[in-house]
mmCIF file of all heavy atoms in Angstrom:
data_model
loop_
_atom_site.group_PDB
_atom_site.id
_atom_site.type_symbol
_atom_site.label_atom_id
_atom_site.label_comp_id
_atom_site.label_asym_id
_atom_site.label_seq_id
_atom_site.Cartn_x
_atom_site.Cartn_y
_atom_site.Cartn_z
ATOM 1 N N ASN A 155 153.825 222.101 64.773
ATOM 2 C CA ASN A 155 153.312 220.907 65.446
ATOM 3 C C ASN A 155 153.969 220.649 66.798
ATOM 4 O O ASN A 155 155.101 221.066 67.036
ATOM 5 C CB ASN A 155 153.506 219.695 64.543
ATOM 6 C CG ASN A 155 152.673 219.812 63.276
ATOM 7 O OD1 ASN A 155 151.560 220.330 63.314
ATOM 8 N ND2 ASN A 155 153.215 219.383 62.166
ATOM 9 N N PHE A 157 155.431 218.025 69.885
ATOM 10 C CA PHE A 157 156.419 216.940 69.815
ATOM 11 C C PHE A 157 155.817 215.552 69.942
ATOM 12 O O PHE A 157 156.442 214.558 69.592
ATOM 13 C CB PHE A 157 157.484 217.128 70.907
ATOM 14 C CG PHE A 157 156.978 216.851 72.294
ATOM 15 C CD1 PHE A 157 156.928 215.547 72.774
ATOM 16 C CD2 PHE A 157 156.527 217.870 73.123
ATOM 17 C CE1 PHE A 157 156.439 215.276 74.041
ATOM 18 C CE2 PHE A 157 156.032 217.609 74.389
ATOM 19 C CZ PHE A 157 155.992 216.303 74.846
ATOM 20 N N LYS A 181 156.544 222.884 60.224
ATOM 21 C CA LYS A 181 157.585 223.034 61.234
ATOM 22 C C LYS A 181 157.237 222.093 62.391
ATOM 23 O O LYS A 181 156.349 222.370 63.206
ATOM 24 C CB LYS A 181 157.644 224.499 61.708
ATOM 25 C CG LYS A 181 158.766 224.767 62.704
ATOM 26 C CD LYS A 181 158.218 224.871 64.103
ATOM 27 C CE LYS A 181 159.268 225.028 65.165
ATOM 28 N NZ LYS A 181 160.137 223.876 65.370
ATOM 29 N N ALA A 183 157.923 219.967 65.955
ATOM 30 C CA ALA A 183 158.635 220.268 67.200
ATOM 31 C C ALA A 183 160.031 219.667 67.091
ATOM 32 O O ALA A 183 160.201 218.547 66.583
ATOM 33 C CB ALA A 183 157.890 219.664 68.383
ATOM 34 N N THR A 184 161.011 220.377 67.562
ATOM 35 C CA THR A 184 162.402 219.943 67.378
ATOM 36 C C THR A 184 162.673 218.598 68.054
ATOM 37 O O THR A 184 163.369 217.747 67.498
ATOM 38 C CB THR A 184 163.348 221.030 67.920
ATOM 39 O OG1 THR A 184 163.054 222.237 67.201
ATOM 40 C CG2 THR A 184 164.800 220.657 67.721
ATOM 41 N N THR A 231 149.776 223.608 66.949
ATOM 42 C CA THR A 231 149.463 222.674 68.037
ATOM 43 C C THR A 231 150.586 222.741 69.053
ATOM 44 O O THR A 231 151.759 222.590 68.688
ATOM 45 C CB THR A 231 149.331 221.232 67.517
ATOM 46 O OG1 THR A 231 148.268 221.182 66.576
ATOM 47 C CG2 THR A 231 149.026 220.281 68.656
ATOM 48 N N GLY A 232 150.240 222.953 70.303
ATOM 49 C CA GLY A 232 151.265 223.030 71.344
ATOM 50 C C GLY A 232 150.689 223.629 72.602
ATOM 51 O O GLY A 232 149.478 223.574 72.834
ATOM 52 N N SER A 233 151.553 224.207 73.394
ATOM 53 C CA SER A 233 151.101 224.700 74.696
ATOM 54 C C SER A 233 150.393 226.046 74.575
ATOM 55 O O SER A 233 150.598 226.793 73.605
ATOM 56 C CB SER A 233 152.311 224.854 75.613
ATOM 57 O OG SER A 233 153.187 225.803 75.052
ATOM 58 N N THR A 236 152.944 228.960 74.263
ATOM 59 C CA THR A 236 153.488 229.259 72.935
ATOM 60 C C THR A 236 152.414 229.896 72.055
ATOM 61 O O THR A 236 152.688 230.841 71.311
ATOM 62 C CB THR A 236 154.032 227.976 72.263
ATOM 63 O OG1 THR A 236 154.915 227.329 73.172
ATOM 64 C CG2 THR A 236 154.762 228.282 70.984
ATOM 65 N N GLU A 256 145.455 224.598 68.579
ATOM 66 C CA GLU A 256 145.076 223.431 69.389
ATOM 67 C C GLU A 256 146.029 223.449 70.571
ATOM 68 O O GLU A 256 147.227 223.210 70.411
ATOM 69 C CB GLU A 256 145.287 222.139 68.596
ATOM 70 C CG GLU A 256 144.460 222.024 67.345
ATOM 71 C CD GLU A 256 142.976 221.998 67.623
ATOM 72 O OE1 GLU A 256 142.589 221.622 68.750
ATOM 73 O OE2 GLU A 256 142.218 222.377 66.728
ATOM 74 N N GLN A 257 145.515 223.729 71.742
ATOM 75 C CA GLN A 257 146.391 223.931 72.895
ATOM 76 C C GLN A 257 146.257 222.800 73.907
ATOM 77 O O GLN A 257 145.685 221.773 73.610
ATOM 78 C CB GLN A 257 146.035 225.257 73.549
ATOM 79 C CG GLN A 257 146.311 226.451 72.680
ATOM 80 C CD GLN A 257 145.778 227.745 73.240
ATOM 81 O OE1 GLN A 257 145.763 228.735 72.557
ATOM 82 N NE2 GLN A 257 145.336 227.730 74.490
ATOM 83 N N ASP A 258 146.768 223.082 75.091
ATOM 84 C CA ASP A 258 146.660 222.070 76.141
ATOM 85 C C ASP A 258 145.247 222.064 76.711
ATOM 86 O O ASP A 258 144.422 222.910 76.412
ATOM 87 C CB ASP A 258 147.722 222.282 77.210
ATOM 88 C CG ASP A 258 147.830 223.722 77.636
ATOM 89 O OD1 ASP A 258 146.816 224.442 77.524
ATOM 90 O OD2 ASP A 258 148.905 224.144 78.077
ATOM 91 N N CYS A 295 147.401 215.285 74.174
ATOM 92 C CA CYS A 295 146.614 216.480 74.476
ATOM 93 C C CYS A 295 145.232 216.106 74.964
ATOM 94 O O CYS A 295 144.586 216.863 75.668
ATOM 95 C CB CYS A 295 146.507 217.350 73.239
ATOM 96 S SG CYS A 295 145.894 216.449 71.813
ATOM 97 N N GLU A 400 148.349 221.568 83.621
ATOM 98 C CA GLU A 400 148.442 220.382 82.770
ATOM 99 C C GLU A 400 149.820 219.760 82.939
ATOM 100 O O GLU A 400 150.817 220.285 82.432
ATOM 101 C CB GLU A 400 148.240 220.747 81.296
ATOM 102 C CG GLU A 400 148.208 219.518 80.386
ATOM 103 C CD GLU A 400 148.587 219.811 78.941
ATOM 104 O OE1 GLU A 400 149.516 220.606 78.711
ATOM 105 O OE2 GLU A 400 147.966 219.244 78.037
ATOM 106 N N PHE A 402 151.942 217.302 81.523
ATOM 107 C CA PHE A 402 151.859 216.604 80.235
ATOM 108 C C PHE A 402 152.631 215.291 80.308
ATOM 109 O O PHE A 402 153.696 215.118 79.724
ATOM 110 C CB PHE A 402 152.408 217.526 79.137
ATOM 111 C CG PHE A 402 151.939 217.139 77.757
ATOM 112 C CD1 PHE A 402 150.591 217.103 77.447
ATOM 113 C CD2 PHE A 402 152.849 216.814 76.769
ATOM 114 C CE1 PHE A 402 150.152 216.751 76.177
ATOM 115 C CE2 PHE A 402 152.426 216.465 75.499
ATOM 116 C CZ PHE A 402 151.078 216.429 75.208
ATOM 117 N N HIS A 477 138.248 218.175 66.051
ATOM 118 C CA HIS A 477 139.232 218.075 67.123
ATOM 119 C C HIS A 477 139.620 219.505 67.464
ATOM 120 O O HIS A 477 140.056 220.264 66.606
ATOM 121 C CB HIS A 477 140.445 217.281 66.629
ATOM 122 C CG HIS A 477 141.589 217.277 67.595
ATOM 123 N ND1 HIS A 477 141.457 216.789 68.874
ATOM 124 C CD2 HIS A 477 142.870 217.699 67.473
ATOM 125 C CE1 HIS A 477 142.625 216.924 69.494
ATOM 126 N NE2 HIS A 477 143.491 217.473 68.672
HETATM 127 P P1 LIG B 701 155.255 223.845 72.633
HETATM 128 O O1 LIG B 701 156.452 223.919 73.436
HETATM 129 O O2 LIG B 701 154.237 224.897 72.777
HETATM 130 O O3 LIG B 701 155.748 223.711 71.121
HETATM 131 C C1 LIG B 701 154.835 223.533 70.084
HETATM 132 C C2 LIG B 701 155.485 223.930 68.772
HETATM 133 O O4 LIG B 701 155.694 225.330 68.751
HETATM 134 C C3 LIG B 701 156.848 223.300 68.531
HETATM 135 O O5 LIG B 701 156.953 222.977 67.173
HETATM 136 C C4 LIG B 701 157.797 224.429 68.894
HETATM 137 O O6 LIG B 701 159.029 224.309 68.256
HETATM 138 C C5 LIG B 701 157.026 225.603 68.357
HETATM 139 N N1 LIG B 701 157.428 226.881 68.889
HETATM 140 C C6 LIG B 701 157.760 227.201 70.147
HETATM 141 N N2 LIG B 701 158.033 228.513 70.236
HETATM 142 C C7 LIG B 701 157.869 229.028 69.009
HETATM 143 C C8 LIG B 701 158.024 230.326 68.442
HETATM 144 N N3 LIG B 701 158.362 231.357 69.186
HETATM 145 N N4 LIG B 701 157.793 230.491 67.128
HETATM 146 C C9 LIG B 701 157.430 229.448 66.347
HETATM 147 N N5 LIG B 701 157.269 228.200 66.833
HETATM 148 C C10 LIG B 701 157.486 227.989 68.138
HETATM 149 O O7 LIG B 701 154.484 222.476 72.867
HETATM 150 P P2 LIG B 701 155.100 221.018 72.908
HETATM 151 O O8 LIG B 701 155.886 220.928 74.157
HETATM 152 O O9 LIG B 701 155.708 220.627 71.632
HETATM 153 O O10 LIG B 701 153.775 220.154 73.042
HETATM 154 C C11 LIG B 701 153.151 219.900 74.253
HETATM 155 C C12 LIG B 701 151.921 220.732 74.415
HETATM 156 O O11 LIG B 701 151.135 220.633 73.255
HETATM 157 C C13 LIG B 701 151.032 220.271 75.535
HETATM 158 O O12 LIG B 701 150.615 221.373 76.279
HETATM 159 C C14 LIG B 701 149.860 219.614 74.849
HETATM 160 O O13 LIG B 701 148.654 219.660 75.548
HETATM 161 C C15 LIG B 701 149.785 220.371 73.584
HETATM 162 N N6 LIG B 701 149.199 219.568 72.532
HETATM 163 C C16 LIG B 701 147.978 219.902 72.081
HETATM 164 C C17 LIG B 701 147.398 219.158 71.083
HETATM 165 C C18 LIG B 701 146.052 219.516 70.560
HETATM 166 O O14 LIG B 701 145.682 218.972 69.538
HETATM 167 N N7 LIG B 701 145.331 220.395 71.188
HETATM 168 C C19 LIG B 701 148.073 218.075 70.533
HETATM 169 C C20 LIG B 701 149.330 217.762 71.004
HETATM 170 C C21 LIG B 701 149.889 218.527 72.014
HETATM 171 P P3 LIG B 701 160.337 223.761 69.000
HETATM 172 O O15 LIG B 701 160.070 222.365 69.347
HETATM 173 O O16 LIG B 701 161.400 223.924 67.979
HETATM 174 O O17 LIG B 701 160.518 224.629 70.197
#
Side-chain angles (χ1 to χ4, degrees):
N155 295 324
F157 72 83
K181 184 257 176 293
T184 302
T231 299
S233 62
T236 309
E256 298 297 336
Q257 295 172 191
D258 46 27
C295 53
E400 185 204 40
F402 200 59
H477 172 59

